[in-house]
Amino acid sequence: MAASHEQSQLGWVALVGAGPGDEGLLTVRAAELLGQASLVVAGPDLESVARSYMQADAALADPADAATARALVQAAKGGQLAVRLFNGDPLLSGAVQDATACAKAGVRFEIVPGVPAATAVPAYAGIPLVGDRNGELRVIAAADVSQVAYSPGTLVVTGADGGPAETAKFAITWDGTTSAQQTVVSTLGRIGPDLKAAGVSLANTRGSAIAVVGDAVAARDRLSWFETKPLFGWRVLVPRTKEQAAVVSQRLREYGAVPEEVPTIAVEPPRTPQQMERAVKGLVTGRYQWVAFTSVNAVRAVRERFEEYGLDARAFAGVKVAAVGEQTSAALLEFGIRPDLVPDGDQSAEGLAEVWPPYDDLLDPINRVLLPRADIATETLLARLIDLGWEAEDVTAYRTVRAAPPPAPVREAIKGGGFDAVLFTSSSTVRNLVGIAGKPHAVTAIGVIGPQTAKTAAEFGLRVDVMAPKPSMAALVDAMAEYGASLRDAAQKAGEPVRRPSERRRGARRRLR
């Protein structure tokens, strides 16, 4: 008996709440356990969040495919940590049955609370559940609404997607805390017209819904903060490599958008690596006065070659470094190098050429400049360096090739108006995206990083709606957010529903997002 008890303690079970939908609301403890688990049991709607934290060799099981409690107990008795992931909070989502099975089998278990939808969704809808005048709060299931007596307090109704609550004034929110969230405020007498105006059909809605009943609903007009984000629910195409798009995508999410990264170029090593080998040797031996980096990829290519030789940023001692813009500067800083020259205005090869100092044989002991760059880079900077008296060594650090076309559904969304906006960061991203996926639909908002990219977009027949005030991705995202806010303000002033660009295309049907 003692041996059996000892064996059961080798493994254990964690019943974990995933929160109401927004992955950012997952608790630190939940993320920690998911990262340690050998087995995770989670439904299809939680698969994404589970895989974000699971180990590569961990198993993921669907509760519909097996007897969940039995699988958890068996895994624990086999010495594993098994995690059962629930929507919202475990004890509000059926975890009692699994906990009881663990207790009966003598298996150690832990319950990790999650942010419950009953409180999180109203918060994301801008509805306070208790106020100074009345602190009464009740949470009930939709099936029990008819049995609840009138009260001046606040009533939260779970499972409200089955139909509107039979009460006087309420707000009903679908897909709470996600980018698909939608809230309708109504009364029982107007629920039909209000749902129709919002494009909601109870026959085709998806996701769960939470209803809030009571005077607290009136506060939504001034406290709504999530659904009023300037790019809320916008599907935004980011045509860059995944590494380059990470920061951009995060900034878009902060504005409420749903970024979708579609690589338009692939970066490959040069066909003849001997040039780069000689360049690295020249840096170490003091051959160059300057090194000019014109892209993040150039920094990455040089850094990778340095690391192959066991070198680090100290090899740049005594060499001046120039960067084309803030993204390239950030990549250099990550490498441990602070650039000496960065253009304030046009952050491009042309902009760097404009601020480059002339060669001075009294001040500059060496007249050579190393220019590691792409195989298709512009000649503007090279020509300018020569004009200024420098001896520029142009070295191919990497090759750029057109990426493979994205999947068919993405191509169809691009051409059919399924995206609300596209952010172009260079002329090559315009050419390559059109080449591999087709031209964006006329309703799609087009954002460009600068005049040259705008010119290329116009050559392809694209209407430019937004241009960054300065040539940086952060500025471009901010400018698109301002554009989205202006569209929202205009719709509200005109008394019209706020619609995303993709919802304005001909034949598009309003439906719950």
Side-chain angles (χ1 to χ4, degrees):
M1 180 66 71
S4 175
H5 177 73
E6 182 180 352
Q7 183 184 38
S8 70
Q9 299 306 304
L10 295 176
W12 56 292
V13 172
L15 307 174
V16 176
D22 182 350
E23 292 185 14
L25 297 180
L26 191 75
T27 66
V28 174
R29 180 60 173 162
E32 178 185 14
L33 291 173
L34 284 170
Q36 297 173 356
S38 299
L39 168 68
V40 177
V41 179
D45 55 335
L46 294 175
E47 181 177 344
S48 174
V49 64
R51 290 194 183 280
S52 297
Y53 296 93
M54 289 170 56
Q55 302 176 71
D57 58 349
L60 179 65
D62 188 330
D65 295 337
T68 303
R70 183 184 304 169
L72 294 171
V73 168
Q74 288 178 345
K77 287 190 173 182
Q80 297 180 329
L81 166 58
V83 169
R84 172 70 165 99
L85 201 58
F86 294 87
N87 281 301
D89 185 85
L91 293 183
L92 295 176
S93 304
V96 174
Q97 180 180 353
D98 294 330
T100 302
C102 290
K104 185 176 180 180
V107 168
R108 181 166 65 94
F109 66 93
E110 174 181 339
I111 298 175
V112 180
V115 179
T119 56
V121 173
Y124 269 54
I127 301 173
L129 295 182
V130 295
D132 297 334
R133 299 178 61 184
N134 195 312
E136 183 183 0
L137 171 66
R138 287 184 289 175
V139 180
I140 64 168
D144 299 325
V145 169
S146 61
Q147 303 174 24
V148 177
Y150 170 78
S151 168
T154 302
L155 183 67
V156 175
V157 182
T158 61
D161 38 295
E166 296 179 3
T167 49
K169 176 144 182 144
F170 62 91
I172 183 168
T173 301
W174 284 267
D175 298 306
T177 79
T178 74
S179 60
Q181 177 174 308
Q182 187 173 13
T183 302
V184 176
V185 177
S186 185
T187 61
L188 187 60
R190 281 201 49 83
I191 184 61
D194 287 344
L195 289 178
K196 184 177 181 180
V200 177
S201 168
L202 293 177
N204 64 10
T205 57
R206 66 170 187 265
S208 60
I210 294 288
V212 179
V213 183
D215 294 339
V217 172
R220 173 176 161 77
D221 289 342
R222 66 180 187 277
L223 297 183
S224 178
W225 62 274
F226 187 59
E227 291 175 54
T228 55
K229 288 187 175 186
L231 298 177
F232 181 77
W234 282 40
R235 186 183 180 191
V236 180
L237 177 63
V238 185
R240 290 163 66 87
T241 62
K242 199 168 189 67
E243 294 82 4
Q244 293 171 317
V247 175
V248 176
S249 294
Q250 179 56 36
R251 200 175 188 93
L252 284 167
R253 291 187 188 98
E254 290 170 359
Y255 283 119
V258 182
E260 190 158 338
E261 299 156 6
V262 176
T264 58
I265 63 169
V267 177
E268 297 181 356
R271 289 192 176 90
T272 55
Q274 291 80 5
Q275 270 192 328
M276 275 290 287
E277 292 173 1
R278 287 195 296 268
V280 170
K281 183 178 179 180
L283 277 170
V284 175
T285 58
R287 176 177 175 80
Y288 303 106
Q289 176 78 357
W290 281 92
V291 182
F293 290 99
T294 57
S295 70
V296 171
N297 286 325
V299 176
R300 184 177 294 115
V302 171
R303 181 174 181 175
E304 288 174 354
R305 188 52 56 92
F306 264 51
E307 291 172 348
E308 286 177 12
Y309 295 140
L311 300 171
D312 57 28
R314 289 174 292 183
F316 280 81
V319 180
K320 293 182 178 179
V321 178
V324 74
E326 60 182 34
Q327 299 295 326
T328 306
S329 295
L332 283 167
L333 288 170
E334 186 180 342
F335 188 19
I337 300 169
R338 185 175 296 278
D340 301 281
L341 179 65
V342 183
D344 293 327
D346 182 9
Q347 296 189 356
S348 65
E350 292 80 0
L352 184 57
E354 290 177 4
V355 299
W356 197 277
Y359 171 67
D360 188 324
D361 57 3
L362 296 177
L363 299 176
D364 299 309
I366 304 170
N367 74 335
R368 295 187 191 89
V369 178
L370 174 62
L371 186 58
R373 56 181 188 155
D375 55 335
I376 58 171
T378 175
E379 301 296 323
T380 303
L381 179 57
L382 180 63
R384 176 65 173 165
L385 291 173
I386 295 172
D387 289 343
L388 290 170
W390 296 94
E391 180 183 333
E393 293 191 4
D394 187 19
V395 175
T396 299
Y398 62 96
R399 293 185 300 122
T400 57
V401 297
R402 182 175 286 180
V410 176
R411 298 198 303 271
E412 292 167 5
I414 291 172
K415 293 182 287 186
F419 282 96
D420 298 288
V422 178
L423 302 182
F424 288 116
T425 58
S426 66
S427 293
S428 62
T429 57
V430 178
R431 289 190 290 267
N432 289 342
L433 182 69
V434 174
I436 66 175
K439 190 167 74 171
H441 192 279
V443 300
T444 305
I446 304 296
V448 298
I449 202 165
Q452 187 59 46
T453 308
K455 180 180 177 182
T456 303
E459 290 172 357
F460 280 90
L462 298 176
R463 177 199 70 254
V464 174
D465 301 288
V466 174
M467 186 164 69
K470 63 177 183 178
S472 78
M473 279 305 299
L476 177 55
V477 174
D478 292 346
M480 184 59 73
E482 290 181 11
Y483 176 74
S486 69
L487 294 181
R488 173 179 289 275
D489 291 343
Q492 290 176 336
K493 287 178 181 177
E496 299 174 353
V498 177
R499 287 189 168 89
R500 306 191 312 273
S502 62
E503 294 171 324
R504 300 192 188 102
R505 67 189 187 275
R506 181 175 297 177
R509 293 183 298 173
R510 279 287 287 170
R511 56 187 178 274
L512 184 65
R513 297 193 291 257

